[in-house]
Amino acid sequence: MKNPPALLVIILLGILSIATNRLQAESSSAHALSQLRNQLADERGNTIPDFSRAGYRGGGVALPRVLTIGTLSPSDETGDDGARIQKIIDEIATLPANADGHRGALLLKRGVYRVAGSLYVPGGVVLRGEGSGETDATVIIATGTKRRELVILGDVEKRPPVTLVGNTPAPFGSAEIKGTRRRITDTYVPWSTHTLTLEHIDGLSVGDRVVILRPGTTEWIAGLGMDSIQEIDMYSDRKLYQWKPAEYDFPLERFINAIDVETRRVTLDAPLMIALDEQYGGGWLYRAESHRATECGVESLRLVSEYKKGKEKTDTDHATVGVTLRTVENTWIRDVVALHFNIGFVVERTAIFTTIRGSALLDPISPVRGGYRYGFSLRGQYGLVENCRTRNARHAFSTAARARGPNVFLDGVAELSHTDSGPHERFAIGTLYDNIRESKDLVVQNRGNWGTGHGWAGAQQVFWNCTVSGEIVLQRPPTAQNYAIGCIGKLAGGRFPDMPRGLIWSHNQHVQPASLYRAQLEARTLTSTHFTN
């Protein structure tokens, strides 16, 4: 056999060198991240949690390109296009799914479509356009004065209730499998750990979907001071609600990566994001089954909410939400612009493993006050919002009450914001704000009686290498922590400046790794300690 040409040898050596350098860089990044997490750990073992499982199929998995099955062109008529769009979606939904769970996509050709109601995209189906730009796009105009969501992902029909997951009915997420509940026996489980000890491991296997139920208790709420929120300058039309234990159960959906039979310890795919403490009720683990629609998406569309011209800051009688991800798992939104909606994109608390990428809420039409102008609202678990932007929003990147995480906002830009990004109310846990550029403020604090008793807005919130034109407010709740690492912006005290400050590291100087989410994803890939659902 002849020796390979010298040029080929050089090329092969070059490829090998590039691959080696990349592996060394990833290893170095993982090592630096491990060191930082150790430095920031408290006396009980809590530190910055791992967010790498956030996103479609648990992070690090490319969004699919689903085969186009149906095509529709704009009508010459000026009437409602909703029925004919929904008809083809429903026809595709009857087709058998392939091995990946996909049935097919409906392609809306460039042009304008008018929809007076809502469009429902069920499991296995993709609603796709040919662009979201200001020109040469596929435009869906939400017509009329009805307040509604324009596009809803998730099956319309719901199965009958089986049991509850915390306060969430079974048809709206996951249902407990009867007879599988058992106590967690650890005295204390840090929020950043992946492992816990059970009273028994009977019936558990690697890959099982489980729920860790962290109960809300009177003692925990009292420890937070949320049973005695003070009335301060309340709006006359609002009533103050103190927190109630039954409303603060945290059902945390996870997957089992490993089981140690001798010690009865299980390793989970993601940390809990909230500590389990025996003095506050400890916790339980049980197996669960999902009742969600899967593998559906919305792509390359420009959604426009019709409104009364001249009433840009008063009109509320028009389509409210651009896209809602409802009872779904492994779903996505890609390249979608929502124009003039009050809320751009909502991921409901029943959703899991979702990605919103390259999308935007622009120029919402509504009053500039509480309850209006939300850009991207993550309320579920394992949600990723990547490379998205807002313009003229109030809360550009935010979470809602008791959002359970892990959730990630990555490489987001908020232009002309009217107020802050950050957790909005009532103890959202486990959110990463990674390289967010916010034109107003970035805040996690005790909001007290704002709203109807928002109280402590969030815990285990991580601001990483964010750039803030306004103020950064970082307060620490009892039993928890919040972090600002490598963030640029003016530090401020917030509504109650005497509250304890969270952990601030390298203020006004970005740190390495540049992105926490990407570094954690690389570290997980290197160690291969994850289960792909």
Side-chain angles (χ1 to χ4, degrees), residues 190-223:
W191 60 68
S192 52
T193 190
H194 289 70
T195 61
L196 40 82
T197 309
L198 306 175
E199 61 178 337
H200 65 82
I201 57 171
D202 298 347
L204 295 180
S205 301
V206 171
D208 279 351
R209 183 191 302 264
V210 295
V211 167
I212 296 86
L213 180 59
R214 194 272 193 189
T217 64
T218 301
E219 294 78 10
W220 176 68
I221 289 174

Side-chain angles (χ1 to χ4, degrees), residues 115-172:
V115 175
S118 298
L119 298 173
Y120 297 88
V121 182
V125 180
V126 174
L127 177 62
R128 178 182 297 146
E130 291 190 313
S132 64
E134 294 184 10
T135 60
D136 203 27
T138 297
V139 180
I140 300 179
I141 299 177
T143 61
T145 59
K146 182 180 179 181
R147 301 181 187 182
R148 65 193 187 278
E149 303 149 299
L150 177 57
V151 181
I152 300 169
L153 273 70
D155 293 338
V156 178
E157 295 181 359
K158 301 292 189 295
R159 302 182 186 185
V162 178
T163 182
L164 296 179
V165 174
N167 295 316
T168 304
F172 297 97

Side-chain angles (χ1 to χ4, degrees), residues 19-31 522 526:
T20 301
N21 290 339
R22 180 178 177 183
L23 285 173
Q24 289 175 342
E26 290 178 352
S27 178
S28 176
S29 176
H31 179 68
E522 289 175 356
L526 286 172

